[in-house]
Amino acid sequence: MSAPSKVVRRAQAGTTEAAWVRWLLIGLALGFMFLFLVLPLAAVATEALRKGVTAYIDALKEPDAWSAIRLTLITAAIAVPMNLVFGVAGAWAIAKFEFRGKALLTTLVDLPFAVSPVVAGLIYVLVFGAQGWLGPWLSEHDIKIIFAVPGIVLATVFVTFPFIARELVPLMQAQGTDEEQAAIVLGATGWQTFWRVTLPNIKWGLLYGVILCNARAMGEFGAVSVVSGHIRGQTNTMPLHVEVLYNEYQSVAAFAVASLLAILALVTLVIKSVIEWRHEREMKAIAELPPERPSEASAA
């Protein structure tokens, strides 16, 4: 086979690199994944089951561990819906409207990415702590925020705030405002336009952002560590409980709880992959329709 024909075959395969270069890159990628992803997960599972399944189950049934699991789920159940509302509203405002202060709103959305989670926790302590700006007033009215569940929720909301908005803003900007304007011209109200036009167009990006937000909410450590006070059985989430157990040399119990976090992460990845697959299938179906009837694939 001549050299030009080899180049044509490689171009048809999507690359003009030699076969050994492709296999080298694939090998490096697989080696990296094995070393930094598969091997740590295997180590966590091995250590968690080192003393048997009974010890593993007992570690998860322990009251402090169950309290940490429950608090983590409660925090995510509160923080994610709040960020869902804030994220959709912020993305809609940024992508669909022009107004004074738009640049400031965009900056505020990105702020948690620029601020360390530990610093965010310290800010909440400064504002709501016993010696903070609102501390005396909160003490007078017997309201506890710091070292209690409300502080943990606030810290989690702060660090996870950008995920949904940042997922939706570029998607909404790429879609433009033509469909919304057409709906309004035809007599639709603002809510009708959102529910029947905007929301169906962003549903896959919205689900993807919710998944990322939920994953970060359950795994957050820095900000929650500052505001929780590490009260065992009361304000320790799962990541904090893992640290406590590990520092007390209860390695099997620590890895058992850590393995549960890893399982939740794997479930999140599976859900994410399914959503991406369904989104790609829907886009392919839309692309195969005649240009004058693109809405039928979305309706299907």
Side-chain angles (χ1 to χ4, degrees), residues 63-84:
D64 290 343
W66 180 241
S67 174
I69 295 170
R70 185 170 60 251
L71 179 58
T72 301
L73 296 177
I74 290 173
T75 301
I78 298 174
V80 173
M82 290 178 67
N83 278 331
L84 175 63

Side-chain angles (χ1 to χ4, degrees), residues 77-157:
I78 298 174
V80 173
M82 290 178 67
N83 278 331
L84 175 63
V85 175
F86 299 154
V88 171
W92 197 17
I94 292 172
K96 302 295 185 179
F97 300 97
E98 293 295 332
F99 55 91
R100 186 174 299 177
K102 180 176 178 178
L104 177 61
L105 177 59
T106 304
T107 302
L108 292 176
V109 169
D110 292 334
L111 183 63
F113 283 148
V115 176
S116 166
V118 175
V119 174
L122 290 174
I123 291 172
Y124 281 112
V125 172
L126 176 63
V127 176
F128 300 110
Q131 306 300 323
W133 297 344
L134 301 179
W137 184 88
L138 293 173
S139 297
E140 284 182 23
H141 294 80
D142 196 25
I143 300 174
K144 289 197 67 175
I145 294 181
I146 302 301
F147 307 150
V149 175
I152 295 173
V153 172
L154 285 174
T156 303
V157 168

Side-chain angles (χ1 to χ4, degrees), residues 163-174:
F163 287 94
I164 295 177
R166 267 290 149 225
E167 191 66 31
L168 293 180
V169 167
L171 178 61
M172 288 184 170
Q173 288 176 334

